[in-house]
């Protein structure tokens, strides 16, 4: 058998531990999962109604054009139908971009500490990978520009960035894209855009008319609470979408996901409530960090990266045995930190108490 040798260098994506696994392993009755940046408040009631209505469609293939969802997004963003591409989560769009643009004859530029799937897919497609370390938790945009050459096909920018929660201001982002060669695709991943409160943040949609080499990634997995239904989308110039579409597998967004996503985007009031609750939760974590002298990055997302100045895996394990699943920073490029998803008020207070217990027992870890 002949296969791509680079696959031997990769490990499959490692999701956070499941609640059932932790219950079984540690004999715990109650588990709180704060590892995967999911919405602790679930989805809108309007989404539940839409899902029930779509149940009769099970025997029929999904609408491959995502007509109703496409129309809802056109109305929401005031863009052309030809500017959208849909995926089985934003991860699928990343895979499609990599398949369409990357090969052994090209390279791709990204931050070193950012979402792992940019690199993962580039490795599979044989491209050279140029990773630029963050500076104080933020993208080194000048370093990324210096890494671009005539073989650079794709540049990835996660804004806000995962796992730090930091963001790139409008002026900085625009200045960066202006300097990227017009034949290099700039991917701005805005998975967490709906949580942003910073006044100088730039939703890249306003830059689409200026930069035909820009594509924006969005997801329904975060603030809209549809992670299990896997619906993501890309927004770009119609010419870019036309290039990507042949690399998209047929029927890649299921019927229930399409119906749920349409209902979700049409209920912005619910999204605003979740955004406000997330901000209140972050303030609790900020206070905890400041009272205990812990370093953290102020976050524009629904998670916070906290540096405990000890082995991140040990922190993860301690909290796991307390019934809280978080994400060790070791695999994220921050070996002495953990990333914690903002939960409900009760969940936040619970994990903060567990982290307080950890600090009290720090000398024995």
């Amino acid at each position: 058998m002949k296969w791509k040798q680079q696959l031997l260098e990769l490990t499959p994506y490692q999701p956070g531990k499941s609640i059932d696994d932790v219950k079984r392993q540690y004999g715990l009755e109650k588990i709180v999962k704060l590892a995967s940046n999911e919405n602790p408040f679930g989805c809108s009631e309007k989404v539940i109604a839409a899902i029930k209505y779509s149940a009769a469609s099970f025997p029929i293939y999904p609408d491959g054009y995502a007509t109703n969802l496409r129309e809802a997004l056109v109305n929401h963003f005031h863009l052309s139908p030809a500017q959208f591409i849909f995926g089985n989560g934003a991860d699928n769009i990343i895979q499609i971009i990599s398949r369409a643009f990357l090969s052994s004859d090209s390279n791709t530029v990204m931050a070193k500490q950012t979402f792992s799937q940019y690199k993962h897919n580039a490795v599979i497609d044989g491209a050279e990978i140029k990773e630029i370390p963050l500076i104080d938790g933020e993208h080194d945009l000048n370093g990324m520009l210096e890494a671009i050459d005539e073989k650079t096909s794709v540049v990835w920018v996660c804004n806000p960035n995962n796992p730090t929660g930091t963001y790139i201001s409008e002026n900085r982002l625009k200045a960066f894209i202006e300097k990227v060669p017009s034949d290099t695709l700039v991917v701005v991943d805005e998975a967490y855009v709906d949580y942003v409160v910073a006044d100088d943040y730039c939703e890249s949609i306003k830059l689409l008319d200026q930069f035909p080499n820009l594509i924006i990634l969005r997801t329904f997995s975060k603030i809209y609470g549809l992670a299990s239904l896997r619906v993501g989308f890309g927004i770009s110039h119609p010419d870019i979408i036309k290039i990507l579409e042949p690399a998209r597998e047929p029927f890649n967004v299921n019927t229930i996901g399409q119906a749920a996503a349409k209902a979700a985007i049409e209920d912005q009031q619910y999204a605003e409530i979740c955004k406000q609750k997330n901000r209140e939760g972050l303030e609790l974590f900020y206070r905890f960090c400041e009272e205990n002298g812990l370093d953290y990055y102020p976050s524009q997302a629904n998670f916070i990266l906290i540096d405990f100045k000890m082995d991140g895996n040990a922190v993860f394990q301690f909290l796991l045995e307390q019934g809280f699943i978080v994400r060790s920073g070791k695999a994220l490029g921050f070996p002495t930190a953990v990333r914690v998803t903002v939960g409900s008020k009760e969940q936040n207070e619970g994990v903060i108490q567990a982290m307080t217990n950890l600090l009290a027992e720090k000398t024995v870890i």
Side-chain angles (χ1 to χ4, degrees):
M1 292 184 291
K2 298 180 180 179
W3 57 83
K4 291 182 175 180
Q5 289 298 311
Q6 58 265 35
L7 290 173
L8 300 179
E9 304 168 15
L10 289 172
T11 56
Y13 178 77
Q14 300 296 316
K17 281 183 172 289
S18 73
I19 290 174
D20 287 341
D21 282 347
V22 176
K23 281 184 177 180
R24 282 193 296 267
Q25 186 173 357
Y26 295 100
L28 298 170
E29 292 184 6
K30 183 180 179 182
I31 302 296
V32 176
K33 185 185 177 190
L34 300 173
S36 301
N37 307 335
E38 297 145 335
N39 185 342
F41 309 108
C43 61
S44 159
E45 287 295 327
K46 295 179 180 179
V47 169
I48 302 298
I51 290 174
K52 291 179 179 178
Y53 182 77
S54 66
S57 65
F58 287 178
I60 305 169
Y61 280 112
D63 174 6
Y65 188 67
T67 306
N68 293 335
L69 175 55
R70 187 181 299 266
E71 181 179 344
L73 292 179
V74 165
N75 293 335
H76 181 74
F77 292 110
H78 307 292
L79 295 170
S80 160
Q83 289 183 266
F84 293 93
I85 185 171
F86 296 91
N88 183 38
D91 296 350
N92 186 209
I93 307 293
I94 293 168
Q95 183 183 55
I96 291 168
I97 291 170
S98 183
R99 179 180 294 178
F101 282 85
L102 297 179
S103 70
S104 58
D105 297 324
S106 64
N107 68 58
T108 182
V109 175
M110 64 193 71
K112 184 172 180 60
Q113 301 91 350
T114 193
F115 187 46
S116 63
Q117 292 303 288
Y118 312 147
K119 179 178 181 179
H120 186 94
N121 283 284
V123 169
I124 292 173
D125 288 306
E128 178 190 2
I129 299 161
K130 298 185 177 184
E131 296 179 282
I132 310 303
L134 301 177
I135 298 178
D136 296 327
E138 298 185 356
H139 281 74
D140 177 7
L141 297 179
N142 289 332
M144 293 175 71
L145 286 171
E146 290 173 3
I148 295 172
D149 59 28
E150 67 280 356
K151 290 188 175 182
T152 304
S153 294
V154 182
V155 176
W156 306 88
V157 178
C158 192
N159 191 31
N161 187 42
N162 177 10
T164 58
T166 54
Y167 76 103
I168 303 168
S169 67
E170 179 171 355
N171 290 340
R172 290 181 64 225
L173 182 62
K174 184 176 178 181
F176 171 76
I177 300 175
E178 284 176 341
K179 294 174 183 175
V180 174
S182 60
D183 60 351
T184 296
L185 184 69
V186 179
V187 183
V188 178
D189 186 345
E190 294 182 343
Y192 300 94
V193 63
D194 301 290
Y195 289 105
V196 174
V197 297
D199 292 336
D200 59 345
Y201 180 83
C202 173
E203 289 195 38
S204 305
I205 287 172
K206 66 172 66 175
L207 303 178
L208 283 171
D209 289 340
Q210 302 173 57
F211 303 107
N213 61 327
L214 170 65
I215 184 168
I216 301 153
L217 306 187
R218 296 284 186 97
T219 182
F220 285 93
S221 295
K222 304 306 177 186
I223 205 165
Y224 295 110
L226 303 182
S228 70
L229 294 180
R230 313 306 302 128
V231 185
F233 60 101
I235 315 171
S236 190
H237 190 279
D239 288 346
I240 297 295
I241 300 299
K242 192 179 295 185
I243 291 168
L244 294 174
E245 276 290 348
R248 179 180 67 83
E249 63 269 30
F251 312 119
N252 63 330
V253 182
N254 69 79
T255 299
I256 297 176
Q258 291 183 36
K262 178 181 182 295
I265 201 71
E266 292 174 344
D267 191 357
Q268 289 301 305
Q269 182 178 1
Y270 180 77
E272 281 299 318
I273 292 171
C274 294
K275 179 178 180 177
Q276 178 59 35
K277 289 181 178 178
N278 179 75
R279 188 51 43 182
E280 292 168 1
L282 278 171
E283 293 298 330
L284 288 178
F285 285 106
Y286 293 167
R287 195 176 311 131
F288 163 75
C289 291
E290 289 158 8
E291 288 174 353
N292 290 281
L294 299 175
D295 293 333
Y296 67 95
Y297 296 111
S299 177
Q300 293 296 323
N302 68 333
F303 56 82
I304 182 170
L305 188 72
I306 304 174
D307 189 355
F308 283 85
K309 295 292 192 294
M310 64 176 89
D311 180 41
N313 286 348
V315 178
F316 163 82
Q317 187 63 35
F318 181 93
L319 296 177
L320 188 67
E321 293 174 14
Q322 300 285 308
F324 294 92
I325 310 173
V326 299
R327 194 70 182 264
S328 170
K330 207 148 196 176
L332 305 175
F334 295 88
T336 60
V338 294
R339 190 192 67 191
V340 185
T341 302
V342 178
S344 66
K345 186 173 187 294
E346 179 185 3
Q347 292 170 340
N348 296 333
E349 290 173 346
V351 75
I352 285 172
Q353 182 58 57
M355 291 189 294
T356 302
N357 296 342
L358 165 71
L359 294 176
E361 299 183 24
K362 185 174 181 179
T363 55
V364 300
I365 294 181

